[in-house]
Amino acid sequence: MKVAIMQPTYLPWAGYFRLIARVDHFVYLDDAQYERGSWHQRNRVLVGGRAHWLTVPVRRQHLGENLDRVQVDDRRDWRRKHLALLEQSYARHPYRRALLEAIAPIADRALTTLADLNIALIERCCLGLGIATPRSRASSLDVSGKRTARVAALCERLGATRYLSPPGARDYLAADGFTENTRVALEFAEFTPPPYPQPSTAEFISHLSIADVLASLGWAGAVAHLASSAPESSP
């Protein structure tokens, strides 16, 4: 069985969903330590033909607080502003309706933690993309450890034989001795997204949020986009 484990990020890029689709079980590392100004709370979309950061404000948190404890700051009118900006910026894109369906959870004020918000958005996108991979939260699996040791323990808890990792984790997995400390085989998810039509730009801007892919290609087109890269590679 192949497993992938990722921290839930805000409106993640297409590669995040390709990773989920390529495994037998996906784990949200929802109790990872929050990093201020990271993908945990922001991502890039197109505004006026340029990449623009959308950032979710959060309440002041204790040092080292986990994602499932970090509260979004609803004292600020960020939900309405994010929805309005996305709707206006992508108004002339061919699949605006798919975008609006994907971002609907932003309006749900019951999603008070950053982890809950991010996971709700990812789940809505998985539904639209037809990704049926079973998914669970690390916080519900009762597995201890830090960094790579916890990743390995989560894999073993789920009975994984292979762990599919994003390429960016290659160095720290090697430094922590992942392959030396577990029998779980390590593979890396390579994804080089091909260009797609972006109506508001003269030159393609890559690695934007899934919101941009959906507005440009729709649900069916996004599914084809996720399938359009070379297969994963071994170490």
Side-chain angles (χ1 to χ4, degrees), residues 16-150:
Y16 193 108
F17 296 94
R18 178 179 167 84
L19 185 72
I20 299 175
R22 291 296 186 272
V23 296
D24 302 303
H25 196 106
F26 180 83
V27 179
Y28 294 109
L29 198 59
D30 61 326
D31 52 4
Q33 185 174 320
Y34 163 72
E35 295 179 25
R36 182 179 177 85
S38 71
W39 301 107
H40 291 158
Q41 68 182 123
R42 65 178 189 164
N43 219 305
R44 300 186 310 150
V45 296
L46 279 183
V47 176
R50 296 184 178 182
H52 173 83
W53 287 103
L54 274 183
T55 303
V56 178
V58 300
R59 291 177 178 264
R60 289 189 177 182
Q61 64 286 327
H62 300 295
L63 186 64
E65 196 163 24
N66 293 344
L67 283 170
D68 57 352
R69 299 287 184 178
V70 174
Q71 299 286 316
V72 299
D73 191 353
D74 279 328
R75 295 171 299 182
R76 301 167 65 177
D77 193 22
W78 70 272
R79 295 180 190 267
R80 183 190 62 80
K81 290 179 179 178
H82 280 208
L83 290 169
L85 184 144
L86 287 166
E87 184 172 0
Q88 293 166 11
S89 298
Y90 289 101
R92 296 186 178 181
H93 279 57
Y95 297 97
R96 172 176 167 271
R97 181 175 295 276
L99 167 69
L100 296 181
E101 291 170 351
I103 64 175
I106 292 174
D108 186 354
R109 295 177 69 91
L111 300 171
T112 59
T113 70
L114 201 52
D116 285 348
L117 171 69
N118 291 348
I119 290 172
L121 287 164
I122 294 166
E123 287 290 306
R124 180 61 189 87
C125 288
C126 284
L127 177 65
L129 294 167
I131 298 174
T133 303
R135 299 177 287 277
S136 57
R137 297 189 182 208
S139 60
S140 70
L141 294 175
D142 192 26
V143 173
S144 61
K146 295 182 179 180
R147 281 178 48 114
T148 301
R150 185 151 191 250

